[in-house]
Amino acid sequence: LGVARTLALVVGSIFQQHIRLSNLQSELHLQTAQVNMLNLLAEKVQEGIIWLSTDLKVRSLNPRMEQILGYCSREVTDQPVELILIGPDSLRRELEQALQGNSTLRMDEIKLYRRNGEAFQALLRIFPVWVGQQVEGVLLFTQDLSEQEQFRIRAQNLENRAFLGELTAVLAHEIRNPINNISTSLQLLAMNHPENAPE
């Protein structure tokens, strides 16, 4: 009877361990799928993303942010954010506020600098990363407005060219009509007056 009880306890313990292991595998599979989805989103979005730790050091950049700033993510990992994201003094204060849990801080049209020193206008949104009841980092979403400005300038140039084309067509039409009238009148005069006729 004692052996049977011990055997029952061992079998029960093995069964519980199997259930726990199965649950952990399911949870791991779900979390892996979520991480893969988040990585795919970070790669495909049109905004640059910087993930910062609680000491405001870079954890990673998404590919778009690498393009915007000119840095590779692995070369700036664990570097202080102010070494790669150079901008106004208020930026540091906004990041510190995000670490205190203030959500969705937005900085409109601030001037940032690329790795090569080129300045560009950007829209910045700052979010604290909550894990349970504690902030575990900061996410910065950056939109490069210089590209939009280039598109706006190109569109304006195309619009100006279209306007000039229309104006040229109208002017050509207006000039051509009187010239055609004069030419027709001269032809009629020439037909009605023979060459030898007195003037």
Side-chain angles (χ1 to χ4, degrees), residues 34-105:
Q34 288 175 341
V35 166
N36 289 340
M37 181 187 67
L38 291 173
N39 287 338
L40 180 65
L41 283 173
E43 289 176 18
K44 300 300 180 188
V45 295
Q46 293 301 310
E47 288 184 302
I49 302 172
I50 301 177
W51 179 21
L52 302 175
S53 62
T54 53
D55 56 355
L56 297 179
K57 290 186 177 178
V58 176
R59 285 190 176 167
S60 69
L61 308 176
N62 75 334
R64 180 66 181 127
M65 193 57 145
E66 290 177 335
Q67 287 176 338
I68 291 172
L69 293 179
Y71 291 101
C72 181
S73 184
R74 68 180 174 278
E75 69 181 323
V76 296
T77 299
D78 294 326
Q79 296 296 318
V81 68
E82 52 274 347
L83 293 182
I84 66 156
L85 193 65
I86 300 166
D89 294 336
S90 60
L91 180 57
R92 177 74 184 198
R93 286 191 304 274
E94 298 293 335
L95 293 173
E96 288 170 355
Q97 283 187 2
L99 284 174
Q100 295 171 7
N102 296 328
S103 259
T104 319
L105 302 168

Side-chain angles (χ1 to χ4, degrees), residues 128-139:
V129 177
W130 291 91
V131 177
Q133 300 294 318
Q134 191 170 350
V135 175
E136 291 294 328
V138 176
L139 282 177

Side-chain angles (χ1 to χ4, degrees), residues 64-189:
R64 180 66 181 127
M65 193 57 145
E66 290 177 335
Q67 287 176 338
I68 291 172
L69 293 179
Y71 291 101
C72 181
S73 184
R74 68 180 174 278
E75 69 181 323
V76 296
T77 299
D78 294 326
Q79 296 296 318
V81 68
E82 52 274 347
L83 293 182
I84 66 156
L85 193 65
I86 300 166
D89 294 336
S90 60
L91 180 57
R92 177 74 184 198
R93 286 191 304 274
E94 298 293 335
L95 293 173
E96 288 170 355
Q97 283 187 2
L99 284 174
Q100 295 171 7
N102 296 328
S103 259
T104 319
L105 302 168
R106 183 178 171 133
M107 300 180 77
D108 288 333
E109 295 205 26
I110 64 168
K111 186 184 285 190
L112 297 176
Y113 293 87
R114 301 184 205 284
R115 182 181 197 163
N116 63 9
E118 175 189 352
F120 68 99
Q121 291 298 113
L123 172 67
L124 207 64
R125 290 180 296 146
I126 304 169
F127 300 92
V129 177
W130 291 91
V131 177
Q133 300 294 318
Q134 191 170 350
V135 175
E136 291 294 328
V138 176
L139 282 177
L140 284 88
F141 290 81
T142 306
Q143 187 176 0
D144 185 351
L145 298 178
S146 62
E147 293 172 352
Q148 290 180 350
E149 182 64 16
Q150 289 172 357
F151 289 138
R152 188 193 66 73
I153 289 170
R154 283 187 202 140
Q156 184 67 41
N157 286 342
L158 289 174
E159 190 176 303
N160 289 344
R161 287 181 186 171
F163 175 74
L164 285 174
E166 288 176 23
L167 183 61
T168 303
V170 167
L171 285 174
H173 177 73
E174 292 300 322
I175 291 171
R176 197 177 314 127
N177 278 348
I179 291 175
N180 284 340
N181 290 342
I182 292 169
S183 175
T184 303
S185 297
L186 289 174
Q187 288 172 0
L188 281 173
L189 281 173

